Amino acid sequence: MNTIDTIRHRNIIKLFMEKDLSVILCGPPGCGKTMIINNAHKNLSGIVDPKMIFINFSSMSKPRLITDALEQNCKMAKGNKETILKPDKKVIVFLDEINLPEPDKYGTTIIIE
């Protein structure tokens, strides 16, 4: 069922994707980030039709998890001075439970950094 909030979220995400802008949904566990992105994706199919990349973290996750997921869903392309990962269509990357990886001895969570 569509509510004012779900329509607003879907329209904002659609607008950002049409303008090739990024969206970051941020909030505490249980606030509805997963519901918002799943609803937007379901309702945008056929309009913007983005590819979804879901990355779920655990306490043992390492940065390579992100790189591996992007390499599986993007092509390598040569930039001016570097190699870049380029998706073949619009992509939504959803990082779930990003607060779970344990900080290192310096108190840094490398995945978030």
Side-chain angles (χ1 to χ4, degrees), residues 56-112:
N56 293 297
F57 294 94
S58 71
S59 62
M60 302 304 293
S61 295
K62 303 288 183 220
R64 187 72 201 167
L65 180 64
I66 299 170
T67 308
D68 288 346
L70 293 175
E71 285 177 350
Q72 290 174 9
N73 292 281
C74 299
K75 295 176 185 163
M76 295 279 197
K78 292 284 185 185
N80 290 336
K81 296 181 181 182
E82 69 282 328
T83 301
I84 59 173
L85 291 170
K86 185 175 180 179
D88 55 353
K89 65 189 227 176
K90 294 192 185 295
V91 172
I92 294 176
V93 179
F94 186 69
L95 309 175
D96 202 12
E97 306 295 346
I98 197 164
N99 60 318
L100 289 181
E102 292 185 16
D104 61 18
K105 64 182 178 181
Y106 305 106
T108 304
T109 304
I110 194 73
I111 287 178
I112 294 173

Side-chain angles (χ1 to χ4, degrees), residues 28-48:
C31 73
K33 298 177 299 292
T34 303
M35 182 197 66
I36 289 168
I37 204 67
N38 282 333
N39 183 42
H41 180 251
K42 179 179 78 172
N43 288 297
L44 290 176
S45 292
I47 300 169
V48 179

Side-chain angles (χ1 to χ4, degrees), residues 1-18 21-27 30-44 47-48 50 92 94:
M1 179 172 143
N2 287 324
T3 66
I4 295 293
D5 288 329
T6 58
I7 293 167
R8 180 183 309 123
H9 296 143
R10 179 183 61 231
N11 289 340
I12 290 170
I13 291 170
K14 178 182 176 214
L15 177 67
F16 273 65
M17 293 199 74
E18 288 172 342
L21 298 171
S22 299
V23 176
I24 296 176
L25 298 178
C26 190
C31 73
K33 298 177 299 292
T34 303
M35 182 197 66
I36 289 168
I37 204 67
N38 282 333
N39 183 42
H41 180 251
K42 179 179 78 172
N43 288 297
L44 290 176
I47 300 169
V48 179
I92 294 176
F94 186 69

